[in-house]
Every structure is written in C-alpha cells, then in structure tokens.
C-alpha cells in the first residue's frame, strides 16, 4: 500500500510541476467575470 | 560645453547623479524584474523542499528520542511560522526573505505533528501527503482547463466559509482554556467526519484562488517579489489542506 502511494506521489510531483508551468486556457483567461487581483 | 550639450549630458537637473540615462536604465531593470509563472512555480518547489528538510529533522527527533524532544520545535515552529506569515502578509516586499523563513519554521511543526499521527496510525503520513498532492494536481487541472472558474461570487462564498471555519477554531481554542471544546471538531462520529470533509473541501477550493492570483500576476507582469508572495500564499493553503486531511484520515481510522 505504502509503496503504491509512494509511486503515485513520485509521478504526481513532476506532473504538477509541468502542468503548473503551462498557461491557463482561454476559457479561463478571457472570461468577462474574472476576479481582478491587485498586484502591488 | 554649451547649454544644449549640458542638457543632454546631465538632464534638466544640474546634478550629474541624475543624468538623462538614470531613469531609462531603471526602466530597463524594471522590465527584467517581473513575475513569471515558472519563477513562481520554482519558488513553490524551493518552499516545499525547505518544509521537507526541517520536517524530516523533527520527524527523526521524534522517532529517536520521543515526544518530549520535539515539543520546543513544534511550538516554536508554529509561533515563528505565524509571525513570519503576518510579516509576509503586511510587508509583501520582504516576501523573498520571510516566505522561505515561514516554510522553514512550518516544516519543524509539520514534521512533529506528522510523526505523532504516524506513531498512532502507521502509514497515515504518506496517505495524507499523496492525497494533498492529488488534490493539488486535480484542482490545478480543473483551473487550467477552465472547469472551475473563480469569479467574485466564488471568492465571496469561499471567504465566508473560510472565515466561518476560522471563527469555529478560535472559539474552540478559547473554550480549550476552560477545559471544554466543540465536540465535532475532534469527534470521529458521522458529524465529525462530515465537518472535516467540508473543511478539506473549503481548504482545497482556496487553492483555486491562489492559482488565479499567480496566473494573473504573471499575465500582468507584476513585480518580481510577488513570485515569493504567490508561492507563500499557495504554501499556506497547502499546509492547511495537509493538516485537515491528516485530521480527517485519523478520524476515519480511529472508528
């Protein structure tokens, strides 16, 4: 059980890293009702 | 040197320190120092490594010398972590120093807490860590593909729910000083498990707001120091999510 979880974790971490580095799709970024965060 | 040449060399100020090049160079530097998605992701990775490093230290101390050996690290990590979190929130420009310090401090506390749960329920830590990363990946996928779309209503509802949990925990803490507590927070009954499930869901949805903040920061070319601030926000939510999953699993396994 622990070994299976460890294998899943080892696969999840690089997959998350790669996915995080991709820009979000237009369906997300070009919405009119998007929250306007203030970056200052 | 005639007046035209002097103006070109020194600008409108007579002070040679403020030549016409000064501000153009500042602008160029300003353009280089901008928040990027990759920069933020790398800083999240560095923060996670720092947490892992200090957590493994406290974890080993617990299994080598027992619970009394980690009490100082556990409480010290919680308090120092809270102080660094407050500094980061109110002084974002310091995030480059305070966010890694927060990760280091929280690591000491997390290692101790995880070791205590592990001693009671063998294998619970790897289950909680895998579930935390599984949730992170799933919600990241849902956000990037536009399945979950955070808007103002989403933010308001999530803020209300998160604030409600915060108040419940504060009331529980105050009641603890008088030897009482809100039963369902620690109970392994059906209501206790449902409460923990709801808290895990709310903590997980907070990740979506962090993703949106980071994504927009990179889009809007926010200042570089906000990479550390974005990584810090994500770490706060991830640590909260991990602790709630740990609590939920312990409730399920103690039934």
């Amino acid at each position: 059980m622990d070994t299976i979880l460890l294998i899943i974790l080892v696969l999840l971490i690089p997959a998350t890293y790669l996915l995080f580095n991709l820009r979000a799709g237009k369906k997300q970024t070009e919405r009119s009702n998007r929250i306007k965060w203030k970056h200052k | 040197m005639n007046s035209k040449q002097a103006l070109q060399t020194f600008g409108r100020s007579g002070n040679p320190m403020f030549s016409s090049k000064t501000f153009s160079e500042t602008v160029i530097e300003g353009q280089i120092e901008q928040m990027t998605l990759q920069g933020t992701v790398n800083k999240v990775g560095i923060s996670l490594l720092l947490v892992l490093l200090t957590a493994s230290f406290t974890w080993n101390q617990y299994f080598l010398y027992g619970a009394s050996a980690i009490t100082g690290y556990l409480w010290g990590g919680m308090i120092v972590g809270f102080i660094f979190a407050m500094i980061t929130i109110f002084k974002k420009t310091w995030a480059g120093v305070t966010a890694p310090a927060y990760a280091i401090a929280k690591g000491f506390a997390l290692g101790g807490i995880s070791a205590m749960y592990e001693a009671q329920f063998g294998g619970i830590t790897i289950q909680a860590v895998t579930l935390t990363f599984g949730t992170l990946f799933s919600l990241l996928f849902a956000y990037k593909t536009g399945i979950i779309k955070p808007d103002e209503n989403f933010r308001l509802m999530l803020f209300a729910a998160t604030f409600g949990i915060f108040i419940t925990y504060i009331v529980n803490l105050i009641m603890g000083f008088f030897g009482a507590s809100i039963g369902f927070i620690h109970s392994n009954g059906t209501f206790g498990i449902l409460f923990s499930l709801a808290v895990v869901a709310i903590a997980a949805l907070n990740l979506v707001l962090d993703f949106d903040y980071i994504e927009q920061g990179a889009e809007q070319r926010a200042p570089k120091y906000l990479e550390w601030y974005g990584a810090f926000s994500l770490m706060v939510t991830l640590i909260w999510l991990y602790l709630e999953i740990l609590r939920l699993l312990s409730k399920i396994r103690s039934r």
Side-chain angles (χ1 to χ4, degrees), chain B residues 14-248:
Chain B
N15 186 344
M17 292 300 288
F18 297 125
S19 71
S20 48
K21 279 183 180 176
T22 308
F23 293 108
S24 58
E25 280 168 1
T26 311
V27 171
I28 290 164
E29 276 174 17
Q31 282 170 347
I32 295 165
E33 294 293 290
Q34 281 165 350
M35 181 176 178
T36 62
L37 203 54
Q38 194 176 15
T40 314
V41 179
N42 290 342
K43 284 167 180 72
V44 173
I46 293 167
S47 302
L48 280 171
L49 280 175
L50 290 173
V51 169
L52 186 71
L53 198 77
T54 47
S56 52
F57 171 78
T58 335
W59 173 281
N60 285 331
Q61 291 289 308
Y62 180 86
F63 287 108
L64 285 174
Y65 308 109
S68 58
I70 61 152
T71 315
Y73 293 114
L74 206 155
W75 285 105
M78 294 288 267
I79 294 163
V80 174
F82 178 76
I83 292 167
F84 278 120
M86 287 298 117
I87 297 172
T88 313
I89 290 165
F90 291 107
K91 197 77 188 169
K92 291 189 180 79
T93 44
W94 292 2
V97 176
T98 54
Y102 167 81
I104 289 168
K106 278 288 172 179
F108 282 117
L110 281 189
I113 294 167
S114 305
M116 285 196 287
Y117 273 104
E118 185 72 20
Q120 213 175 342
F121 311 100
I124 197 170
T125 310
I126 184 74
Q127 291 169 4
V129 172
T130 311
L131 272 172
T132 306
F133 276 95
T135 311
L136 175 70
F137 181 82
S138 311
L139 282 168
L140 190 58
F141 181 79
Y143 172 77
K144 295 275 181 183
T145 52
I147 297 169
I148 294 181
K149 299 184 187 88
D151 56 16
E152 280 298 335
N153 288 337
F154 177 92
R155 183 161 74 158
L156 277 173
M157 280 193 284
L158 204 56
F159 176 76
T162 309
F163 191 67
I165 294 165
F166 175 73
I167 293 293
T168 312
Y169 282 170
I170 291 289
V171 169
N172 185 61
L173 186 76
I174 294 166
M175 282 171 75
F177 295 135
F178 303 100
S181 70
I182 300 174
F184 59 78
I185 292 181
H186 305 290
S187 133
N188 61 357
T190 310
F191 194 66
I193 288 174
L194 285 176
F195 173 77
S196 274
L197 265 174
V199 177
V200 166
I202 290 160
L205 287 174
N206 269 284
L207 287 172
V208 177
L209 292 185
D210 296 325
F211 300 149
D212 202 46
Y213 181 87
I214 292 168
E215 189 86 27
Q216 276 195 42
E219 269 172 38
Q220 293 170 11
R221 296 161 183 262
K224 191 81 174 168
Y225 64 84
L226 286 177
E227 285 184 351
W228 272 114
Y229 188 76
F232 160 78
S233 307
L234 193 67
M235 286 304 296
V236 171
T237 315
L238 265 183
I239 289 171
W240 180 34
L241 178 65
Y242 169 72
L243 288 173
E244 292 300 340
I245 288 176
L246 209 53
R247 195 202 299 267
L248 174 66

